[in-house]
Amino acid sequence: MTPGAVGVRLDCDGPVATVTLCRPDVLNAQTPAMWRAMSDFSRDLPGDVRVVVVRGEGRAFSAGLDLSVAGASGPGSFAELATLPEQECADRIAGFQAGFTWLHRPDVVSVAAVQGHAIGAGFQLALACDLRVLATDAKLSMAEVTLGLVPDLAGTKRLVELVGYARALEICATGRRMDAAEADRLGLATLVVPNAELDATVRDLTAGLLAHPRDAVVEIKALLAGAAGRSHAEQQRAEREAQTRRLRDLAGRGE
């Protein structure tokens, strides 16, 4: 276990790792210290982990950025970032993004278990995961615009991929909230279940992801993740090459 002194912890149980936001008293509002800790989790992850589950303690996934920290004058605050040279500010934000983008790793499948609020940084954390299981009380919003900001935690590309440009623009530019039913209609949810079934559903999904050979799942993830950037011919070639690797590996002829 990686302790949650900064409000987030990592627990590993065989092939399953769980990232838990553990600030339930403030609806798991996030801080730069939490993002740095989450980035470190990628280095701490044992090599046999195949599935990463991201969840929040209490009644919310995450209410977003902790404005009491961001609005102060210390490290990571808006005031401090605004004083930095342009490139240094961008580099600092790149470090924040790393707390989210490691969930894109090709060797793991990441699953967000979302209940209650998933606002701003919380929504982007859910988007960072490959799959999203939503409880029926989930409320999602890309609320950065309400602060005069843009979503900058690697969530915009995933959002466009899932719902298309026009709908992504409407969601981000209005900052409005959507419920689980709408998120499901738009393709943001992998599954929507009653709150009481959220944990069991995530366990069942995790078991399904672990039921088949790891190398096949890794190849499938790579094929699907890269499909949007390939032509039909390029995707077919990628399929042939991946299958050739699988056949050789299963026959004991892999290098």
Side-chain angles (χ1 to χ4, degrees):
M1 174 190 294
T2 297
V6 297
V8 61
R9 68 174 183 268
L10 174 69
D11 300 289
C12 297
D13 182 11
V16 181
T18 302
V19 174
T20 304
L21 306 182
C22 45
R23 302 183 72 209
D25 53 320
V26 290
L27 300 182
N28 299 314
Q30 299 176 42
T31 67
M34 292 169 68
W35 300 335
R36 288 189 290 269
M38 288 192 290
S39 178
D40 291 341
F41 290 167
S42 183
R43 294 190 291 272
D44 297 338
L45 211 62
D48 61 344
V49 168
R50 296 179 53 185
V51 176
V52 178
V53 176
V54 183
R55 59 181 295 274
E57 278 188 2
R59 58 191 178 90
F61 182 70
S62 173
L65 180 65
D66 187 335
L67 295 178
S68 69
V69 174
S73 57
S77 67
F78 294 157
E80 190 232 2
L81 289 173
T83 66
L84 298 176
E86 206 168 291
Q87 188 57 53
E88 188 175 344
C89 181
D91 290 344
R92 185 77 63 86
I93 295 170
F96 299 160
Q97 291 172 333
F100 294 67
T101 56
W102 73 274
L103 292 163
H104 303 173
R105 277 175 47 160
D107 58 330
V108 299
V109 177
S110 50
V111 180
V114 181
Q115 82 282 4
H117 290 93
I119 309 298
F123 188 12
Q124 292 191 76
L125 183 58
L127 287 170
C129 294
D130 298 305
L131 307 172
R132 282 156 295 282
V133 182
L134 271 56
T136 50
D137 76 339
K139 295 289 190 294
L140 282 60
S141 171
M142 201 70 89
E144 285 79 1
V145 70
T146 65
L147 301 173
L149 302 172
V150 303
D152 64 343
L153 296 170
T156 55
K157 180 172 174 58
R158 278 287 176 90
L159 186 61
V160 171
E161 289 171 347
L162 289 166
V163 305
Y165 161 75
R167 181 61 73 192
L169 176 61
E170 181 265 329
I171 289 169
C172 293
T174 65
R176 69 175 179 86
R177 294 190 181 186
M178 70 186 86
D179 61 18
E182 182 181 4
D184 193 23
R185 289 195 303 271
L186 294 179
L188 289 165
T190 308
L191 295 165
V192 175
V193 298
N195 282 57
E197 298 176 15
L198 180 62
D199 290 344
T201 301
V202 171
R203 285 195 299 270
D204 289 345
L205 177 58
T206 298
L209 294 168
L210 296 173
H212 303 291
R214 177 175 193 163
D215 289 346
V217 174
V218 169
E219 289 279 15
I220 288 168
K221 179 174 176 177
L223 275 173
L224 299 178
R230 301 187 189 109
S231 67
H232 285 286
E234 290 167 340
Q235 183 70 3
Q236 291 156 21
R237 177 178 178 178
E239 291 174 357
R240 296 192 297 270
E241 292 172 347
Q243 194 72 304
T244 298
R245 287 191 293 271
R246 294 305 307 130
L247 290 167
R248 291 179 63 84
D249 184 57
L250 291 171
R253 302 184 63 179
E255 297 180 355

